[in-house]
Amino acid sequence: MELTKELLLSAYTQGIFPMAESANSKDLYWVDPEERGVLPLDQFHVSKKLAKKIKSNPFKIMINTAFRSVILKCAEPSNNFDRKNTWINSLIIDRYCELHEHGHAHSIECWQGEKLVGGLYGVAINGAFCGESMFHIVTDASKIALVYLIARLRVGGYSLLDTQYVTNHLSQFGAVAISRKDYRARLNNALNNSDANFHLMPDNVEASFILQSITQTS
């Protein structure tokens, strides 16, 4: 079966996502975990240390200006998150870039000058954002990208941030594992929210606004 953007979007609405065995693999397999990682948007935790760093504005945060570069960085072998190999092959790269071109996938990017030093990407469908991968080559860049994502999702009216799995990196922010049944109930609820808007928050906002956005009560 050919992987198309339509098939990808349909899969996400059913709670499944594709992976490859390695970067060189030509085949994909579909994943439907018994336990799913989610990061509750109203329980997101930012440490005082990280909040202080965000206020210092160590990076220029950009939205959707280098999507392909972000996914390519995420596909590189890295020790950042105990990732020795990648599940992102060339087919995944091309199809997610196609989703991005049609407004269904987004990237949050951390820049230092002209250098991309961290970021993340994921798929947005109505009120659900399905996080795919993140990377950093400068300390805390991926963490700060995640904070900016949370603020954008909260402002934009999203109700679900799917992280696929719970890692040590994500658990420090409040990520939890839920059952497949619970996940699909939350997913269906989010999919019924057609008012969510990834671009409701302006691209250039002050750090104080970001921190306020993730700590205020919904």
Side-chain angles (χ1 to χ4, degrees), residues 17-135:
F17 55 90
M19 299 182 77
E21 289 290 349
S22 69
N24 297 321
S25 175
K26 296 185 181 300
D27 298 321
L28 299 174
Y29 60 94
W30 294 100
V31 183
D32 184 14
E34 290 187 10
E35 285 195 332
R36 193 65 163 252
V38 298
L39 214 172
L41 296 174
D42 59 351
Q43 299 175 28
F44 188 72
H45 172 69
V46 178
S47 68
K48 291 182 178 179
K49 181 179 179 181
L50 183 58
K52 182 178 180 180
K53 187 162 187 177
I54 291 171
K55 291 177 181 178
S56 73
N57 295 307
F59 311 114
K60 182 177 182 180
I61 310 299
M62 303 293 288
I63 311 298
N64 290 333
T65 69
F67 184 89
R68 180 174 285 271
S69 295
V70 169
I71 193 171
L72 287 172
K73 288 290 186 182
C74 288
E76 292 179 359
S78 170
N79 293 318
N80 289 347
F81 305 108
D82 300 321
R83 185 174 65 235
K84 303 300 182 182
N85 203 347
T86 181
W87 49 267
I88 303 172
N89 65 4
S90 60
L91 180 57
I92 285 178
I93 292 170
D94 288 342
R95 288 299 169 268
Y96 281 81
C97 285
E98 188 177 1
L99 285 185
H100 169 66
E101 291 167 2
H102 287 81
H104 299 299
H106 304 288
S107 61
I108 309 288
E109 307 142 15
C110 295
W111 296 83
Q112 285 187 332
E114 299 299 316
K115 187 175 183 180
L116 179 64
V117 297
L120 58 82
Y121 76 98
V123 176
I125 309 176
N126 289 353
F129 189 91
C130 303
E132 284 297 310
S133 190
M134 59 176 61
F135 82 97

Side-chain angles (χ1 to χ4, degrees), residues 4 11 21 58 112 123-124 131 145 150 152 154-155 166-167 188 201 218:
T4 64
E21 289 290 349
Q112 285 187 332
V123 176
I150 295 293
R152 183 165 292 273
R154 284 176 61 93
V155 171
V166 177
T167 64
N188 289 334
M201 189 176 84
S218 300

